[in-house]
Amino acid sequence: LAAPTPAPQIAPTPPPAATPAAPPTVMAASERWWVQIGSYSEIGNARQVETQLRALGEPVIVAPIDTAQGVLYRVRAGPYASEDRAGTAHARIVAAGHADARLIRP
């Protein structure tokens, strides 16, 4: 009897090269624009403003700030990557009843 012929060896096809994912967009601190709505001594008041701004679709940060008068809760909308975007948000926030809101430049 003849010896069986070995099956041909087929090299596996390498998977396609993965293209690296684009890194997330990160704004440098020098590019961040904010709209400061106010600082509140009561966290409940700051949270109420936060809720109003989120209803407008704005990103909001409530941050405790230690001051000589005690802790204040600063409410800011943002960050925004451009002055135009921050200006649009500022106008919308003022129109929603926060007339003292101010634009914070980078």
Side-chain angles (χ1 to χ4, degrees):
L1 290 177
T5 308
Q9 296 294 319
I10 301 173
T13 305
T19 46
T25 303
V26 176
M27 287 182 279
S30 63
E31 299 172 348
R32 293 180 182 165
W33 288 78
W34 298 87
V35 177
Q36 183 161 322
I37 293 76
S39 295
Y40 304 87
S41 60
E42 298 290 329
I43 186 66
N45 294 336
R47 293 293 183 205
Q48 186 176 22
V49 172
E50 176 188 30
T51 299
Q52 292 169 351
L53 295 175
R54 288 196 191 283
L56 294 175
E58 298 299 332
V60 184
I61 293 176
V62 176
I65 307 295
D66 287 322
T67 70
Q69 295 80 26
V71 175
L72 294 178
Y73 299 93
R74 181 172 63 194
V75 180
R76 286 185 169 181
Y80 302 102
S82 71
E83 182 177 7
D84 287 343
R85 176 65 183 100
T88 300
H90 178 258
R92 188 172 32 244
I93 291 166
V94 168
H98 300 283
D100 292 335
R102 64 180 187 211
L103 204 55
I104 305 295
R105 300 179 189 280

